[in-house]
Amino acid sequence: MADSEENNALFPIFVLSMIALPLVPYTILKLFRAASKKTKSIHCDCFDCARSGKYRKSIFKRIANVSTCGNFTLVLLWITVGILVYYLKNISREVQVFEPFSILGLEIGAKESEIKKAYRKLSIQYHPDKNPDPAAHKYFVESISKAYQALTDPISRENFEKYGHPDGRQGFQMGIALPQFLLNIDGASSGVLLIGIVGVCILLPLMMAVIYLSRSAKYTGNYVKNDTLGAYFHLIKPSLAPSKIMEIFIKAAEFFEIPVRRTDDEPLHKLFMTVRSELNLDLKNIKKEQAKFWKQHPSLVKTELLIQAHLTRETTLLSPDLERDCKKVLEFAPRLLEELTKMAIIPRTSKGQGWLRPTIGVVELSQCIVQAVPLSARKAAGGSADGIAPFLQLPHFNEDIIKKITRKVRTFQDFQEMNTQERSKLLTQVAEISLPEVQDVEKVMELIPSVTIDVKCCTEGEDGVQEGDVVTVQAWITLKRLNGLIGALPHSPRYPFHKEEKFWFLLADPNTNTVWFSQKVSFMDDVAAISAASTAIEERMEVLTANPRETSAAIKEAVQRVKSGSRLAMGKFLAMAEGNYNLMCYLLCDSWIGCDKKVPLKLKVLRRTRAGTRGGLVDGGAVPEDGVEEEEESEEEEDEDIDSEYSEDEDEKQKSKEKGSSKGKVNGKGKESSSSSETSGSDEE
């Protein structure tokens, strides 16, 4: 074994190696990700968004973005590495080769007389009798005497010439990379060594495992508490009205952790009187309803009032403490609403289907929270199923301006279809809006997405769809904006945090209130979308037993469509019993009001063959029909759709239903059921 000094020098080398091995590749990955981030501005730059300050890149925000916990730890580790390198550079001793001629100050091959003369000269300088210094004594014994002996003694000289050392062959030395005080096992040091080994090898991994398991037991992957998911799962019902979604949303476990102060009572009572009309109270028994409302858990009362203050844009009435609590509630909202949506579409029925009506209600609530629009504004009015809510998300718009505009245009879709000059004339002359404000409106109009959906349903490799088949649904969703962007942050000046717009694609049956297939769609990350589309297309081509050339061509086409602004929603569901199904494809945006899209889709499911296998003979020798029902344009069928609770204009709903039922697109060969439609940012109700 090596001596204690050598072992002590090995410990910093060991620590440096353990830190540098994961640190170097992680730093390279971090720098690569930072360099690959897009620098293009993807947020709204209207006056309201600029005044909100959430997109302003001040020096403090830049420091806050950089000085995260992970970056601070990374810098601290690199400082530790630098200190260790400097320490090793200055204290580590280099391993020197024994050179007797160099020690005596002679050249190689010197004569014996020269060796003796050099030895006598060094003895006068370093001999203990001449020099009492302990270092001189050590150097004389370990270096000068050994060098003289190696060059004058025949045996020592032979050992030196063979093995490089006058004492002959030297043994192999090993060291332990631990500090010197741990290697001194005398007395208390042995206990320190034992505690160190137990702590590093047993206690530290055990503590990390306990922390990880305790956190994973409380939270999901989306940082939502499991208690919240359990409450949402049990409280949500299939026929839940959109106005009732708020009562379930506020019962998240995260909201119960927000403190309830006695000083909040007075401002909350004042806020209650302001937003009372937005609460789901029975006006006929208003006193009993108010008493019932205040008897709820204080956290529920506070959370609902804070959300209503945000929706009605009355946050100026809040005290500083309540304003901070309101921001905390809004920070939790996107994650909680996403999980609530998942709880609505999770398979509940015996056929593995989710519920449509509560899903629409959750998405509508998400839209109102992001745009700070009251739920009452979604009541149908003037031929619009969403009421005046789409107009309220535009900058500088209020109810007075909307009343003036709706005298000329009936719906928000009509307002969108106007060109820039017509809108500018309408806003300046009718609504009496200034030119800078008109420019802000145009910036937001350019940011509102327009989507196109192309949907196909079929049984892979078969003609038609039979009951019990695994049906593949493939939907290409294309997004366009007037400003040319694909992925962008929505215009939401009153929402205090960055919010990426997300879409939910649903294949549902409105008649039975069931969701057959669902998938979340995002236009922010092209790399992830390309990877997902390539994987889905590759799996589909494998099922079709396509050759590599066809598979490569299909993947290349899918990648090009993704780069041009499309996203692929693809999955499978089990065909229901024999019959004709009037399905509806929904594309719901969680950030914009009036951008939802609905496309009708007709699917005919045939009776399965008696043999129970695809391609088997039908009883009596008949050949099964195609699985798609061809529809004629002259056909008028009522589409019993599930609309928002706030849609009350029956005449307009009937017109829109008749309009939607005539837009189904059918494949002439009868192998697929497909539908395609386009919108300019408004829902075809």
Side-chain angles (χ1 to χ4, degrees):
M1 296 287 290
D3 57 16
S4 61
E5 293 183 0
E6 293 178 353
N7 290 331
N8 192 41
L10 291 175
F11 181 68
I13 299 176
F14 172 75
V15 174
L16 178 63
S17 302
M18 292 296 100
I19 295 176
L21 282 175
L23 182 61
V24 173
Y26 177 76
T27 304
I28 295 175
L29 179 62
K30 192 94 172 176
L31 294 174
F32 177 77
R33 288 180 177 177
S36 61
K37 283 185 178 180
K38 295 182 179 179
T39 58
K40 187 176 180 180
S41 175
I42 57 173
H43 61 78
C44 179
D45 56 353
C46 69
F47 176 77
D48 287 349
C49 289
R51 186 177 56 181
S52 66
K54 64 179 179 179
Y55 300 124
R56 190 180 302 135
K57 295 182 179 180
S58 63
I59 184 65
F60 299 103
K61 284 194 173 183
R62 291 178 181 179
I63 293 174
N65 291 334
V66 174
S67 60
T68 60
C69 182
N71 292 340
F72 178 76
T73 305
L74 193 66
V75 172
L76 187 63
L77 289 175
W78 275 111
I79 292 175
T80 305
V81 168
I83 293 174
L84 289 173
V85 171
Y86 179 79
Y87 175 78
L88 292 172
K89 181 180 179 181
N90 287 275
I91 72 166
S92 61
R93 298 179 303 169
E94 297 182 359
V95 180
Q96 298 179 354
V97 181
F98 182 72
E99 293 289 349
F101 290 103
S102 177
I103 294 173
L104 296 177
L106 300 174
E107 295 181 357
I108 298 176
K111 298 180 180 179
E112 186 175 354
S113 58
E114 295 177 349
I115 295 173
K116 291 180 179 181
K117 183 178 179 180
Y119 175 72
R120 286 195 297 268
K121 183 178 179 180
L122 293 174
S123 297
I124 296 173
Q125 183 177 358
Y126 293 101
H127 196 277
D129 296 338
K130 303 294 183 179
N131 191 341
D133 188 5
H137 176 253
K138 183 178 180 180
Y139 181 70
F140 180 80
V141 174
E142 294 181 357
S143 300
I144 297 176
S145 297
K146 284 186 177 182
Y148 178 74
Q149 183 181 7
L151 296 178
T152 55
D153 185 70
I155 298 177
S156 298
R157 186 156 189 167
E158 182 180 359
N159 290 334
F160 172 72
E161 292 176 353
K162 286 184 178 181
Y163 307 110
H165 198 280
D167 296 334
R169 186 190 299 273
Q170 299 296 302
F172 180 72
Q173 293 185 349
M174 298 178 62
I176 301 176
L178 290 175
Q180 184 177 358
F181 72 91
L182 290 179
L183 295 176
N184 183 15
I185 61 175
D186 296 335
S189 297
S190 58
V192 175
L193 178 60
L194 179 62
I195 292 174
I197 294 175
V198 172
V200 174
C201 300
I202 300 177
L203 296 181
L204 182 60
L206 184 62
M207 182 178 64
M208 295 177 65
V210 169
I211 294 174
Y212 172 77
L213 292 176
S214 62
R215 182 172 179 81
S216 61
K218 293 181 180 179
Y219 293 91
T220 64
N222 202 18
Y223 299 102
V224 174
K225 288 191 172 183
N226 288 326
D227 295 340
T228 300
L229 295 186
Y232 284 170
F233 182 83
H234 291 292
L235 291 174
I236 200 163
K237 303 300 178 184
S239 58
L240 197 65
S243 60
K244 300 292 184 180
I245 295 295
M246 178 73 75
E247 299 178 5
I248 298 177
F249 170 65
I250 62 176
K251 293 182 180 178
E254 286 80 356
F255 295 149
F256 285 91
E257 296 180 353
I258 298 177
V260 179
R261 313 173 191 88
R262 291 185 178 180
T263 56
D264 296 338
D265 292 342
E266 184 177 352
L268 286 178
H269 276 80
K270 292 181 179 179
L271 181 61
F272 172 79
M273 300 305 296
T274 304
V275 302
R276 184 174 59 177
S277 60
E278 295 295 330
L279 301 174
N280 192 24
L281 303 179
D282 186 6
L283 299 180
K284 296 180 180 179
N285 302 317
I286 188 63
K287 292 184 178 180
K288 292 183 179 180
E289 291 292 320
Q290 289 184 12
K292 183 180 178 182
F293 177 81
W294 288 104
K295 285 182 180 179
Q296 298 181 98
H297 192 281
S299 296
L300 300 179
V301 173
K302 181 177 181 178
T303 302
E304 185 169 3
L305 290 177
L306 291 178
I307 294 176
Q308 293 295 349
H310 170 72
L311 295 178
T312 56
R313 306 179 182 181
E314 297 290 347
T315 53
T316 54
L317 302 177
L318 302 178
S319 63
D321 291 336
L322 288 177
E323 190 173 353
R324 286 192 294 269
D325 294 340
C326 183
K327 287 185 178 180
K328 188 174 295 185
V329 170
L330 295 177
E331 185 180 7
F332 288 138
R335 299 198 301 267
L336 296 177
L337 288 170
E338 182 176 341
E339 295 301 322
L340 186 55
T341 305
K342 293 178 181 178
M343 290 297 104
I345 61 179
I346 194 173
R348 299 291 192 108
T349 66
S350 58
K351 299 177 182 178
Q353 298 169 340
W355 297 329
L356 177 61
R357 186 175 178 83
T359 304
I360 295 176
V362 175
V363 176
E364 286 183 353
L365 178 59
S366 176
Q367 296 169 357
C368 290
I369 289 178
V370 173
Q371 297 297 337
V373 174
L375 292 172
S376 60
R378 301 189 71 109
K379 291 183 179 179
S384 174
D386 287 319
I388 63 173
F391 289 101
L392 288 176
Q393 65 188 348
L394 299 178
H396 314 296
F397 269 56
N398 53 40
E399 292 186 5
D400 295 334
I401 294 176
I402 295 173
K403 288 180 181 178
K404 296 177 182 179
I405 291 177
T406 50
R407 295 172 186 172
K408 301 294 182 180
V409 291
R410 297 186 60 189
T411 64
F412 185 71
Q413 182 180 1
D414 297 336
F415 184 73
Q416 279 185 297
E417 292 174 353
M418 300 173 66
N419 56 43
T420 305
Q421 291 76 13
E422 293 174 345
R423 273 199 301 264
S424 177
K425 183 178 179 181
L426 176 66
L427 294 175
T428 54
Q429 296 181 3
V430 178
E432 299 178 355
I433 294 179
S434 63
L435 187 59
E437 293 176 343
V438 172
Q439 293 176 353
D440 285 342
V441 173
E442 288 299 328
K443 290 178 181 178
V444 177
M445 297 299 295
E446 292 177 355
L447 197 62
I448 295 177
S450 171
V451 293
T452 302
I453 309 176
D454 184 10
V455 189
K456 296 179 180 179
C457 286
C458 64
T459 302
E460 299 289 2
E462 300 293 342
D463 294 338
V465 178
Q466 293 187 3
E467 54 185 3
D469 282 354
V470 177
V471 183
T472 301
V473 55
Q474 176 178 311
W476 278 104
I477 305 164
T478 304
L479 182 144
K480 294 181 180 179
R481 306 179 201 268
L482 296 178
N483 57 9
L485 292 175
I486 297 176
L489 300 178
H491 166 78
S492 55
R494 290 174 177 81
Y495 186 77
F497 303 100
H498 289 219
K499 173 67 176 69
E500 295 183 0
E501 60 182 18
K502 294 182 176 63
F503 296 83
W504 286 94
F505 173 79
L506 308 176
L507 179 63
D509 187 353
N511 299 320
T512 59
N513 187 32
T514 54
V515 177
W516 293 24
F517 170 76
S518 63
Q519 183 173 326
K520 186 173 68 173
V521 180
S522 175
F523 289 85
M524 298 298 295
D525 192 351
D526 288 345
V527 177
I530 290 174
S531 176
S534 301
T535 303
I537 294 298
E538 184 177 4
E539 292 176 353
R540 181 173 183 269
M541 299 304 288
E542 287 181 359
V543 173
L544 297 176
T545 63
N547 57 51
R549 180 176 297 180
E550 294 175 344
T551 302
S552 178
I555 293 176
K556 186 177 180 180
E557 181 184 358
V559 171
Q560 292 298 327
R561 296 189 69 170
V562 171
K563 290 181 178 179
S564 63
S566 298
R567 294 293 184 268
L568 176 62
M570 192 171 183
K572 300 179 184 297
F573 64 89
L574 195 65
M576 298 296 105
E578 178 185 5
N580 298 323
Y581 295 90
N582 297 322
L583 305 179
M584 186 71 70
C585 300
Y586 293 83
L587 186 66
L588 307 177
C589 181
D590 69 346
S591 303
W592 293 98
I593 302 175
C595 294
D596 298 340
K597 179 63 185 173
K598 295 190 296 186
V599 177
L601 176 67
K602 286 187 175 293
L603 178 67
K604 183 175 182 179
V605 180
L606 301 173
R607 181 174 58 86
R608 195 162 185 80
T609 59
R610 178 175 294 180
T613 58
R614 303 295 286 128
L617 292 177
V618 184
D619 189 20
V623 179
E625 300 176 15
D626 291 336
V628 181
E629 181 183 10
E630 184 176 355
E631 57 178 357
E632 301 176 357
E633 293 184 359
S634 60
E635 216 174 341
E636 295 181 359
E637 297 181 359
E638 291 185 359
D639 181 13
E640 297 180 4
D641 191 9
I642 295 180
D643 294 305
S644 170
E645 182 195 15
Y646 309 104
S647 302
E648 298 174 351
D649 194 331
E650 297 297 334
D651 295 336
E652 293 300 326
K653 288 200 324 184
Q654 185 64 26
K655 292 180 181 179
S656 64
K657 290 173 184 177
E658 294 175 0
K659 182 179 177 181
S661 64
S662 62
K663 289 191 176 181
K665 181 180 177 183
V666 180
N667 191 317
K669 295 182 180 180
K671 293 185 179 181
E672 297 175 339
S673 178
S674 62
S675 183
S676 177
S677 185
E678 184 174 353
T679 185
S680 296
S682 65
D683 185 8
E684 291 186 16
E685 290 291 337

